[in-house]
Amino acid sequence: YNNSYDYYTSRLSGWSFVPPERQAVFSDDTWGRTVVVSFAAPPGARKQQDTQRYLSRQAKGMYDKVYVYAQGVIGDSMVCSDAEFPAATDEWRDALRERFESVSPRLRALRGGEVDTLLRAPCHAVTRESISLEYSKCMTDFVFFTFSTRSRAERFCELLDAAAKDANLHDALPSPWR
């Protein structure tokens, strides 16, 4: 749930399924020295349990709303409560723009930057499709091997490939070993 704010700050709150920006897991140099091996996940593994939990919550409407507050513009300023809108639409943006247009010039000058920030904020509803996409690999576990040099990583792949051929497992191995 994304709602980091104090009670007097303009805010957009709601459920966010992915971070607003993709985080770099490794640097390009580290990726060049890393081998990723995938294995079939056991039935009932953590990712599969998470998938079912999120799908159940989504079906119950837990992710259906976003909440918006800008003091003196939208939301109840007396108790600092947020205005509620459907997450799957831009209805909250339209309401915020409309209410911002109707406030005094003094308040527009005071809250203009905050309202602009809210209007530019990404807002993606958590849907059944987004949950399914996020967890589409829930039947796969990944193991990352990072070596001190790229040549050692390549040598590891060669040795694994040779061992798989000797054991007649070559066709069972995931790429890049086929």
Side-chain angles (χ1 to χ4, degrees):
Y1 190 72
N2 182 7
N3 69 345
S4 55
Y5 59 85
D6 64 44
Y7 284 102
Y8 302 102
T9 302
S10 295
R11 60 191 171 264
L12 170 65
S13 305
W15 289 95
S16 178
F17 202 60
V18 294
E21 295 177 11
R22 185 180 194 108
Q23 302 297 311
V25 176
F26 295 132
S27 67
D28 288 343
D29 174 60
T30 303
W31 273 120
R33 300 179 285 113
T34 301
V35 176
V36 181
V37 179
S38 62
F39 300 94
R46 174 66 190 261
K47 285 173 144 181
Q48 295 163 20
Q49 293 172 15
D50 288 348
T51 302
Q52 293 310 310
R53 182 173 63 247
Y54 295 134
L55 288 171
S56 173
R57 288 177 180 173
Q58 189 276 332
K60 293 175 184 172
M62 184 172 193
Y63 309 124
D64 290 352
K65 303 276 185 209
V66 293
Y67 306 90
V68 184
Y69 177 80
Q71 190 173 19
V73 179
I74 197 166
D76 186 342
S77 294
M78 297 299 290
V79 292
C80 295
S81 67
D82 303 345
E84 180 180 287
F85 297 94
T89 71
D90 276 343
E91 185 179 324
W92 69 271
R93 292 180 203 275
D94 296 338
L96 180 56
R97 278 188 201 99
E98 180 181 311
R99 292 188 188 161
F100 187 64
E101 292 294 320
S102 68
V103 299
S104 70
R106 185 182 132 301
L107 190 56
R108 264 201 303 268
L110 180 65
R111 298 284 177 224
E114 296 171 19
V115 170
D116 285 343
T117 299
L118 289 173
L119 290 170
R120 284 193 316 273
C123 182
H124 306 285
V126 176
T127 64
R128 183 170 193 78
E129 293 76 23
S130 63
I131 294 168
S132 297
L133 179 62
E134 179 70 19
Y135 286 91
S136 63
K137 300 289 186 189
C138 70
M139 297 301 292
T140 306
D141 285 336
F142 300 95
V143 178
F144 296 78
F145 296 96
T146 301
F147 296 87
S148 57
T149 66
R150 183 181 184 97
S151 62
R152 287 188 176 172
E154 290 169 350
R155 181 69 179 137
F156 174 80
C157 289
E158 292 167 2
L159 292 171
L160 186 58
D161 189 44
K165 283 180 185 175
D166 287 348
N168 289 327
L169 295 174
H170 193 263
D171 290 337
L173 282 177
S175 59
W177 292 293
R178 283 187 261 151

